[in-house]
Amino acid sequence: MENPVCSPPESAADHAGIQEMDILLVGAGKMGLPIARNIQRRGHRLSVLDSSAERRDLARAQGLKIAPTLESGLASAKVLITSLPHDAAFESMASEIVACMKPEQIYVDTSTVSLAASQRVSRAFQEAQIPWLRVAVSGNPQMVEQKQSTTIASGPLEVYQRVLPLLRLLGEAQFHVGPRDEARVMKLAINLMVSGLSALLAEALALGQKAGLDWATMCEVIAASAAGAPVVRAKVAQIKHYDFAPTFTVGQMRKDVGLILDAGMDLRVPLPQTGAVAQLLLQASALGFDSEDYASVIKAVQQSAGLPLHG
């Protein structure tokens, strides 16, 4: 892997010459929509393509232009960005992109997909001479909306430098970590830690609750302690009120943990703790929490410990 390239602090000059850029974004989902809004706010001409009528209506209601087809959207676009939910959607869209895209256009994929799917698509793009970046966006939709996410890119460095002003619209930190699929691995490694921390938080809260500690007090102490990493602090601020409104659902985290375990199998890296987290997420899903925040593993542990499902 190449040495990571971290971008310097943003300045007014960073956006010079890009205000007239035409961009097509495919996938107006939970992450794609705030990405699109942030880019359009900077004055770029952006259009959105999505197979869901509901998501198209939502994008249109938020002032975004809808592209009728991929071909028409690419007719004037300099950059294509995709934010797709899984391997099948990613690979299906990639086959259409290969047929429509021109070598002078740039493709940026922000989807969380498997290494195997990314490698298959990479071979097709290489044959078509289409430059592309894999860009992992670390953070939830609210963090993207507030320009607090971190972007981790891999692919040709020259292409990365050309789209860096766009990536700066999503957050304060940007990294280039290699020429191929390194960003995919880095995103999985980060999500491995996030999912593991949620499982540890669930066990810690259940242990304290069983011993009679006050729920809100536990959350405050954990946030202020040595264990209060940023993701833990953000989560306990929500869980303090026993609020499981989703920033990222149990189902979405199950999908990502599955990708992590697949990568571990492919790379021959044992991941026993992540395997246990996968089972805990499955338990939460079986209990009916699949559409709630992934922190609902807390409720799964509470139930296993014979505790009431409240804070």
Side-chain angles (χ1 to χ4, degrees):
M1 182 181 293
E2 294 180 350
N3 291 331
V5 175
C6 182
S7 65
E10 183 178 358
S11 68
D14 289 325
H15 300 289
I18 68 165
Q19 294 303 311
E20 299 302 317
M21 189 180 289
D22 290 282
I23 299 163
L24 172 65
L25 185 138
V26 178
K30 289 184 178 180
M31 292 295 279
L33 204 53
I35 289 172
R37 285 196 296 262
N38 277 4
I39 291 173
Q40 181 163 277
R41 286 191 193 110
R42 292 298 305 193
H44 298 289
R45 292 186 295 266
L46 183 139
S47 56
V48 170
L49 178 67
D50 197 287
S51 60
S52 164
E54 179 183 357
R55 300 306 297 186
R56 291 196 300 272
D57 289 344
L58 184 58
R60 190 180 291 110
Q62 296 182 17
L64 296 166
K65 178 183 175 182
I66 305 302
T69 65
L70 178 66
E71 189 172 7
S72 63
L74 282 174
S76 60
K78 182 178 180 181
V79 177
L80 167 66
I81 302 172
T82 55
S83 179
L84 301 166
H86 45 64
D87 282 10
F90 169 64
E91 293 197 70
S92 175
M93 180 54 59
S95 65
E96 295 185 47
I97 291 169
V98 168
C100 297
M101 203 165 179
K102 301 177 181 66
E104 62 269 20
Q105 295 171 308
I106 296 174
Y107 175 38
V108 176
D109 175 61
T110 67
S111 314
T112 301
V113 296
S114 70
L115 296 180
S118 188
Q119 289 163 2
R120 287 192 293 270
V121 166
S122 185
R123 287 192 289 271
F125 286 158
Q126 187 174 9
E127 291 174 5
Q129 297 184 320
I130 295 172
W132 77 304
L133 285 180
R134 301 75 152 165
V135 176
V137 180
S138 182
N140 59 41
Q142 289 78 8
M143 293 174 70
V144 174
E145 190 75 50
Q146 296 166 13
K147 199 181 173 183
Q148 295 175 347
S149 63
T150 297
T151 56
I152 306 155
S154 59
L157 183 57
E158 182 271 335
V159 176
Y160 169 75
Q161 290 169 336
R162 287 167 62 190
V163 300
L164 182 56
L166 291 178
L167 302 182
R168 286 189 172 125
L169 302 180
L170 309 182
E172 297 179 353
Q174 302 82 34
F175 295 90
H176 181 267
V177 295
R180 290 176 289 277
D181 284 313
E182 293 86 351
R184 308 277 198 210
V185 180
M186 192 72 246
K187 174 68 178 292
L188 295 179
I190 292 169
N191 282 7
L192 181 157
M193 296 185 69
V194 171
S195 64
L197 285 170
S198 70
L200 290 173
L201 178 61
E203 293 185 2
L205 288 170
L207 180 67
Q209 185 184 8
K210 193 83 168 189
L213 288 170
D214 177 74
W215 185 269
T217 300
M218 281 195 292
C219 289
E220 291 172 4
V221 173
I222 289 169
S225 74
V231 67
V232 173
R233 290 198 300 271
K235 198 53 64 181
V236 295
Q238 179 181 1
I239 300 309
K240 176 182 177 180
H241 306 288
Y242 213 69
D243 176 9
F244 293 92
T247 58
F248 195 73
T249 68
V250 168
Q252 289 171 316
M253 188 61 84
R254 283 178 58 221
K255 171 231 173 183
D256 281 13
V257 169
L259 294 177
I260 292 164
L261 292 172
D262 288 345
M265 186 71 71
D266 292 343
L267 296 169
R268 298 187 179 183
V269 177
L271 303 173
Q273 294 181 73
T274 305
V277 172
Q279 291 300 307
L280 182 56
L281 287 163
L282 184 60
Q283 181 184 355
S285 178
L287 290 170
F289 308 140
D290 203 61
S291 297
E292 295 187 11
D293 193 88
Y294 68 92
S296 290
V297 293
I298 290 169
K299 294 197 282 188
V301 175
Q302 283 181 308
Q303 181 161 321
S304 295
L307 291 163
L309 296 188
H310 59 72

